[in-house]
Amino acid sequence: MPELSIPIIDFSGFYSEDPVLKQKVVDQVRESCLYNGFFQITGHSIPLEKQKKVMDCAKKFFDLSLEEKQQVSKDNNTWNRGYEMLRSQMLEEGTQPELKEGFYIGEDIDKSHPYFINKKLNSGPNQWPEALGDGLEGFKDGTMGYYHAALKLAADLMRVLALSLELEETYFSQYMTGAVSTMRLLHYPSQPKDADEKLSRGIGAHTDFGGITMLMQDTVDGLQVWDQKSSTWIDVAPTKGALVINLGNLMSRWTNEKYKSNVHRVINKSGKERYSIPIFVSGQPDYMIDCIPTCKKADEQAKFEPATVEQIVSAAYAESYGRAQLYKQLAEKKMVESQVAQQSSPVAVA
Ligand SMILES: O=C(O)CCC(=O)C(=O)O
Ligand SMILES: [Fe+2]
């Protein structure tokens, strides 16, 4: 059997004057979305230099001491910005909390902005790591420069998705106006050699919650995508300059599950540090997600009730973080119980 891989699509065709090249991109994207919702793109609009700069920012940030990183802890706010320690999240039931640390960034939303005032999904100011000192301005530039370039590309990707579903190219424009998108700088330490392979994960098997995810990997592999057809994991080999694109649950729901939101995970067995930068593009928080007309026949029922972007994404967050918290609480309870048992066990008297 030939080795399975995630297709690499040359996105430059979308910007071409030649309708044949543009249609080719649309057809390749459709094929991937119907198969497992994962593809890589090259020839896109984000310059390599911007990609390199943001990756350097990530490495500099994670090189800070734990104490310095904790100064910008995500626990300081409720809008999902800042540092998240190792083992904070747990996406796969039956595994251990995950071996990754992260730094969450988004659009810098001022406290006078209606999104902040109305406590919209993931909306508020960023937390910036002052501990970077002179390097802070470069960090802001590097991260936000990449973030904005990626969101421009996200809008183009949504145009291609619209065309792939036989919709007007601008069908998703309203959803993308005022879209809430979170970027995560991620660092996966190399998995310890004695780690239980079955339970240790950089990130457990999961599907993404939002519309689309755009992921930049550094040079170390570890990302795997589940292939339903062959019941195997496909390794997503890092490809210089390429972005991995996948569809999230919101997009699958919107298309009446015609397009796939696929299971993926990270296990870093490389013996090296792994870095990656996903951006989760979720859309305008109040936008109502209701089955796209071309995704069901006129007499067919939609599989899901209409719900807003915010309702769909918030529910998914609450579930995954709740699972990690529950695991920690149970582990702490077990530890306390065993300490109490040791203290109260009868001591043998000679
Ligand atoms: O780091 C990666 O390669 C994947 C990250 C991921 O799946 C996620 O953050 O949802
Ligand atoms: Fe993911």
Side-chain angles (χ1 to χ4, degrees), residues 1-4 227 230 232:
M1 195 171 73
E3 201 172 316
L4 292 163
D227 186 63
S230 61
T232 49

Side-chain angles (χ1 to χ4, degrees), residues 227-290:
D227 186 63
Q228 182 97 38
K229 211 165 164 189
S230 61
S231 293
T232 49
W233 289 99
I234 306 176
D235 291 314
V236 186
T239 305
K240 196 171 178 186
L243 295 183
V244 181
I245 311 296
N246 67 285
L247 306 182
N249 298 348
L250 184 143
M251 190 53 77
S252 170
R253 175 180 179 135
W254 207 353
T255 61
N256 220 23
E257 293 182 326
K258 177 174 169 166
Y259 277 2
K260 303 287 180 293
S261 166
N262 204 14
V263 175
H264 53 287
R265 68 180 186 185
V266 172
I267 305 183
N268 182 15
K269 290 188 287 189
S270 63
K272 297 181 205 144
E273 309 285 301
R274 179 173 190 271
Y275 296 87
S276 72
I277 305 178
I279 299 186
F280 306 96
V281 184
S282 282
Q284 201 232 100
D286 291 325
Y287 193 91
M288 191 59 80
I289 301 298
D290 195 6

Side-chain angles (χ1 to χ4, degrees), residues 184 186 188 203 206 208 215 223 264 266 274 276 278 280:
R184 286 215 284 191
L186 288 176
Y188 301 87
I203 186 164
H206 69 285
D208 290 347
L215 174 96
L223 173 62
H264 53 287
V266 172
R274 179 173 190 271
S276 72
F280 306 96

Side-chain angles (χ1 to χ4, degrees), residues 75-148:
D75 296 340
N76 295 342
N77 62 65
T78 52
W79 49 93
N80 218 9
R81 305 297 166 90
Y83 175 63
E84 178 177 83
M85 270 206 317
L86 282 173
R87 303 181 201 281
S88 298
Q89 207 178 16
M90 189 170 154
L91 288 161
E92 185 176 344
E93 208 110 33
T95 60
Q96 290 163 351
E98 295 160 354
L99 213 54
K100 69 164 184 330
E101 54 180 344
F103 185 70
Y104 287 68
I105 306 177
E107 195 61 70
D108 226 343
I109 294 176
D110 195 81
K111 290 192 173 173
S112 61
H113 192 285
Y115 273 15
F116 182 81
I117 294 167
N118 296 311
K119 294 191 167 48
K120 289 291 160 202
L121 175 71
N122 297 342
S123 297
N126 284 313
Q127 288 198 82
W128 296 113
E130 298 289 340
L132 287 173
D134 287 351
L136 182 58
E137 282 313 305
F139 182 83
K140 285 185 185 173
D141 261 20
T143 52
M144 294 313 283
Y146 176 80
Y147 178 81
H148 287 130

Side-chain angles (χ1 to χ4, degrees), residues 25-83:
V25 174
V26 172
D27 292 342
Q28 287 176 309
V29 166
R30 182 190 304 108
E31 196 183 333
S32 298
C33 293
L34 290 170
Y35 185 69
N36 66 10
F38 262 87
F39 52 96
Q40 304 200 61
I41 55 170
T42 53
H44 53 73
S45 54
I46 311 178
L48 209 53
E49 203 187 302
K50 271 205 163 68
Q51 291 181 263
K52 193 180 163 316
K53 217 164 151 187
V54 69
M55 200 48 93
D56 288 344
C57 290
K59 291 176 187 172
K60 283 201 183 105
F61 174 77
F62 291 117
D63 276 348
L64 293 173
S65 69
L66 179 59
E67 198 190 344
E68 287 168 329
K69 287 183 276 195
Q70 283 288 51
Q71 285 165 3
V72 286
S73 166
K74 203 165 147 286
D75 296 340
N76 295 342
N77 62 65
T78 52
W79 49 93
N80 218 9
R81 305 297 166 90
Y83 175 63

